[in-house]
Amino acid sequence: MTQLPGQLNPSPRLLLGPGPSDAHPRVLSVMSTPLLGHLDPQFLTIMTETQEMLRQVYQTQNQLTFPVSATGTAGMETCLVNLIETGDKAVICTMGYFGNRMVEIAGRAGAQVTVKEAAWGRVFELDQIREALKAVRPKVLGIVHAETSTGACQDISQIGKLCHEFGTLLITDCVTSLGCMPVKLDEWEVDAAFSCTQKGLSCPPGLSPISFSSRAVETLKNRKSKVQSWYLDLTSIQSYWGGERAYHHTAPITMVYALREGLRLVLEEGLEARFARHITNHKALKAGLTALGLQYIAAEGSQLPQLNAVRIPDGVDDVAGRKRLLSDFGIEVGGGLGEYKGKAWRIGIMGHNSRPNCVFQVLAALEQVLAGAGIKIDRGSGVAAAERSYAG
Ligand SMILES: *Cc1c(COP(=O)(O)O)cnc(C)c1O
């Protein structure tokens, strides 16, 4: 017999890419507590607590708010397949990689999809969205709040009201925004939102928190056809995460523990304090990256604090650079996607990782990587610029 693989012992990493981000130590700690059955009274209480905290973080009263048992993309798929029936019209606004994923899923769900495109790195103006709604009169409009492929932030605050003037439901991708920046489902009149656990909530990947407005629930009730997916069918999952707590599938118990702790951490810190922390660390990182000569992809004024996507300078090899960051410094950053494949580095400082320690480490390491690749750099300038930013 060949030798048994050794006990798992991964090298420590600092996960500063677009996700997963490092899990908070308290999250990892609750994950090693004993399993409960998915119908154990203790677990039912944990579910209720988790849903209540999730509503607070999403800033909503929506009854139908719970984590789908799979990653962010499953939340995306849940929102789309439950609200779309064959032949329904959908407008999807894309300004990067993840908008395109919504187009693909909506099409597979049977929608007649109209794609509105903004250049990668740009965002939509309200008038462009009004135009699309007027022309198409769709049942749903899908848009990404925080486009992780470009680091651009789409203002969602006025889109829900606008959609409702046309009888359209608003679906919003909050995968990279939840836990890092304000997400106000009720005030913004968002009808269906989805997120993940491994980015702003500092948990491992594995759950996708979603929330449906009463309008969306009404649409679900009035469907003429069955939801195309059995597993993601909210009309039946509701019997578990809704009132009855009847078996639908076995909840990933340990991941629910993790999410509960991640949400406790968010609310313990306070939403406003948490968002302010993300901005402070973003400003310092941005000052440092700028001092190193790196330029942001997203336009000034629509840059996400938690995801900093910058162009790789000419003459620096993408893969070699990231490889050195990982092997010499234990730091993972993301490469570019789609139009920016090979051309961008994406630095995430999300949730627990939004802190000075991470900012200084990545700046110091990047400086060495860039200098090593032959880029002329005023040595120490990145770290010094971040330091000045923190000093105010
Ligand atoms: C990460 C991400 C997703 C996909 O989430 P997974 O957890 O990888 O399935 C969807 N949308 C956006 C904006 C993302 O950043």
Side-chain angles (χ1 to χ4, degrees):
M1 188 190 151
T2 52
Q3 212 188 342
L4 199 64
Q7 186 172 347
L8 199 66
N9 186 22
S11 311
R13 301 284 196 219
L14 188 56
L15 300 178
L16 300 183
S21 300
D22 289 284
H24 192 284
R26 262 171 53 187
V27 168
L28 294 177
S29 159
V30 299
M31 292 183 79
S32 59
T33 58
L35 282 184
L36 292 164
H38 61 281
L39 296 173
D40 186 304
Q42 284 186 77
F43 188 68
L44 301 187
T45 303
I46 289 169
M47 288 167 71
T48 305
E49 291 166 346
T50 304
Q51 288 178 284
E52 190 39 50
M53 288 192 288
L54 202 48
R55 287 186 193 103
Q56 289 180 49
V57 174
Y58 261 137
Q59 306 197 40
T60 185
Q61 308 280 335
N62 289 341
Q63 196 53 36
L64 186 54
T65 302
F66 74 94
V68 172
S69 304
T71 69
T73 307
M76 182 187 285
E77 193 140 359
T78 301
C79 292
L80 291 166
V81 299
N82 279 277
L83 295 177
I84 289 172
E85 295 186 69
T86 305
D88 284 343
K89 289 181 186 162
V91 167
I92 309 290
C93 300
T94 74
M95 47 175 198
Y97 183 89
F98 289 103
N100 289 338
R101 184 171 290 187
M102 274 209 253
V103 171
E104 179 66 25
I105 296 175
R108 290 185 191 204
Q112 276 179 261
V113 183
T114 303
V115 182
K116 284 297 275 186
E117 272 183 89
W120 283 51
R122 295 280 160 175
V123 293
F124 289 89
E125 299 295 332
L126 209 53
D127 279 344
Q128 295 172 288
I129 291 172
R130 184 180 286 111
E131 229 169 76
L133 289 167
K134 225 181 216 164
V136 181
R137 308 254 161 189
K139 182 181 187 186
V140 301
L141 180 135
I143 195 161
V144 178
H145 184 205
E147 181 46 83
T148 323
S149 61
T150 63
C153 175
Q154 171 69 51
D155 180 7
I156 300 293
S157 63
Q158 307 302 314
I159 300 177
K161 256 175 237 89
L162 184 62
C163 281
H164 294 151
E165 285 175 27
F166 293 86
T168 300
L169 296 169
L170 173 62
I171 303 177
T172 304
D173 177 330
C174 301
V175 176
T176 296
S177 52
L178 196 69
C180 299
M181 58 196 300
V183 174
K184 304 181 179 184
L185 295 191
D186 288 358
E187 191 183 315
W188 298 352
E189 299 188 19
V190 174
D191 294 299
F194 55 93
S195 189
C196 76
T197 42
Q198 76 272 19
K199 299 183 188 184
L201 297 177
S202 302
C203 300
L207 292 178
S208 177
I210 65 161
S211 186
F212 268 46
S213 73
S214 49
R215 267 194 189 87
V217 171
E218 203 54 37
T219 304
L220 184 64
K221 272 192 198 140
N222 293 331
R223 285 183 66 102
K224 295 191 183 68
S225 56
K226 281 187 179 176
V227 174
Q228 170 223 40
S229 161
W230 188 90
Y231 191 67
L232 302 177
D233 181 351
L234 290 178
T235 62
S236 46
I237 297 180
Q238 269 195 88
S239 60
Y240 181 57
W241 280 100
E244 305 155 55
R245 303 292 191 225
Y247 169 74
H248 176 266
H249 63 272
T250 311
I253 307 297
T254 304
M255 274 308 302
V256 178
Y257 294 175
L259 175 59
R260 180 181 179 279
E261 192 62 18
L263 293 168
R264 260 166 47 78
L265 282 158
V266 173
L267 295 171
E268 210 174 88
E269 180 175 12
L271 293 176
E272 294 314 314
R274 190 173 177 95
F275 304 149
R277 169 165 66 82
H278 279 78
I279 289 175
T280 302
N281 291 310
H282 161 69
K283 282 186 178 159
L285 178 64
K286 184 176 170 181
L289 294 172
T290 306
L292 295 177
L294 298 168
Q295 287 168 346
Y296 277 68
I297 288 167
E300 195 69 44
S302 57
Q303 293 163 357
L304 292 168
Q306 68 275 31
L307 197 285
N308 297 256
V310 291
R311 286 170 208 281
I312 302 170
D314 288 340
V316 178
D317 182 70
D318 167 32
V319 174
R322 281 189 286 129
K323 205 167 162 186
R324 179 147 186 239
L325 277 175
L326 193 65
S327 56
D328 290 5
F329 304 99
I331 297 175
E332 179 179 283
V333 303
L337 285 178
E339 287 186 18
Y340 284 97
K341 191 166 168 53
K343 297 180 189 156
W345 284 334
R346 295 180 299 143
I347 304 166
I349 42 170
M350 306 177 183
H352 176 54
N353 280 357
S354 174
R355 56 186 207 274
N357 179 18
C358 298
V359 170
F360 285 121
Q361 278 192 66
V362 74
L363 286 172
L366 268 175
E367 177 181 314
Q368 292 183 58
V369 168
L370 292 171
I375 301 291
K376 274 217 159 24
I377 279 177
D378 190 4
R379 298 305 293 261
S381 59
V383 165
E387 199 179 345
R388 279 194 301 277
S389 172
Y390 283 121

